[in-house]
Amino acid sequence: AQSVTQLDSQVPVFEEAPVELRCNYSSSVSVYLFWYVQYPNQGLQLLLKYLSGSTLVKGINGFEAEFNKSQTSFHLRKPSVHISDTAEYFCAGYGTALIFGKGTTLSVSS
Amino acid sequence: SQTIHQWPATLVQPVGSPLSLECTVEGTSNPNLYWYRQAAGRGLQLLFYSVGIGQISSEVPQNLSASRPQDRQFILSSKKLLLSDSGFYLCAWSRAGVNTGELFFGEGSRLTVL
């Protein structure tokens, strides 16, 4: 079955600390992978995507993700977070349709 | 450039009342269109998708329905709302013929059923 699993439902961090949001996908999901960000009461905005090529993908707002085929992972990272990064983050993978993980709430405090 | 709009942004409806949420896309032709629901504390659930006018595929059986009367218009409806229909509804589009799964989302419509 196609699935995308976000391993942490909530990640609290302090401002300027590094952060990693973890995502694993099932092998039946194709290698088209995405991270979306959702700010409160807004739609989803594409953060970055992996379609092919370099396994390290850079996105907006200083985020990056690394596609790891052997571990079927697509973890999202940022070396130094800001208060404004507080949001819900969704990992998604494309099989016959776009499959979303359940989301990770990133809470950045000062 | 392409834009997507959905309305209303917020809606409070009594149980048993009808529902109509509308979504329109501008700047592209023959897009694939989607309705997702996001319930509190949950991920995104695909409700309907459409690859063309009058073509609707339902992913989850429920008391909701969708219609696509025009190429860039997608409507989510219900004849009688249930409490469980409360949630955040998101419309999205993707490029026709591009099977990468990349979606572009609207601003969302928050429905509260009382």
Side-chain angles (χ1 to χ4, degrees), chain B residues 53-70:
Chain B
I53 296 174
Q55 301 178 59
I56 308 295
S57 296
S58 175
E59 291 294 304
V60 182
Q62 61 228 324
N63 70 319
L64 300 172
S65 62
S67 61
R68 185 171 178 173
Q70 300 180 41

Side-chain angles (χ1 to χ4, degrees), chain A residues 32 34 36 38 41-46 49 51 88 90 94 97-103, chain B residues 36 38 41-44 46 59 88 90 98-108 110:
Chain A
Y32 299 145
F34 307 84
Y36 286 85
Q38 184 182 31
N41 293 312
Q42 295 185 25
L44 276 70
Q45 178 183 5
L46 182 65
K49 61 185 175 183
L51 303 181
E88 187 87 11
F90 291 94
Y94 184 67
L98 193 62
I99 307 298
F100 285 88
K102 293 190 180 298
Chain B
Y36 282 86
Q38 186 177 20
R42 298 185 177 183
L44 283 85
L46 178 62
E59 291 294 304
F88 194 53
L90 290 159
V98 178
N99 294 323
T100 63
E102 182 174 359
L103 298 181
F104 303 91
F105 285 85
E107 309 95 334
R110 183 163 300 283

Side-chain angles (χ1 to χ4, degrees), chain A residues 28 30 38 41 48 53 60 72 90 99 105:
Chain A
S28 58
S30 78
Q38 184 182 31
N41 293 312
L48 49 79
I60 61 173
T72 60
F90 291 94
I99 307 298
T105 300

Side-chain angles (χ1 to χ4, degrees), chain B:
Chain B
S1 63
Q2 300 86 13
T3 58
I4 177 170
H5 297 289
Q6 56 178 112
W7 67 92
T10 59
L11 195 59
V12 180
Q13 292 286 95
V15 170
S17 64
L19 170 73
S20 180
L21 301 179
E22 190 165 340
C23 172
T24 59
V25 179
E26 298 294 335
T28 189
S29 296
N30 196 31
N32 299 321
L33 296 172
Y34 308 82
W35 278 111
Y36 282 86
R37 176 169 59 199
Q38 186 177 20
R42 298 185 177 183
L44 283 85
Q45 179 186 34
L46 178 62
L47 301 175
F48 301 95
Y49 69 92
S50 171
V51 299
I53 296 174
Q55 301 178 59
I56 308 295
S57 296
S58 175
E59 291 294 304
V60 182
Q62 61 228 324
N63 70 319
L64 300 172
S65 62
S67 61
R68 185 171 178 173
Q70 300 180 41
D71 181 44
R72 291 170 294 178
Q73 183 184 28
F74 205 26
I75 298 172
L76 182 69
S77 304
S78 174
K79 293 181 178 179
K80 289 185 177 181
L81 285 168
L82 306 173
L83 286 174
S84 57
D85 292 324
S86 292
F88 194 53
Y89 289 82
L90 290 159
C91 182
W93 72 275
S94 66
R95 300 182 196 282
V98 178
N99 294 323
T100 63
E102 182 174 359
L103 298 181
F104 303 91
F105 285 85
E107 309 95 334
S109 297
R110 183 163 300 283
L111 170 65
T112 302
V113 182
L114 302 176

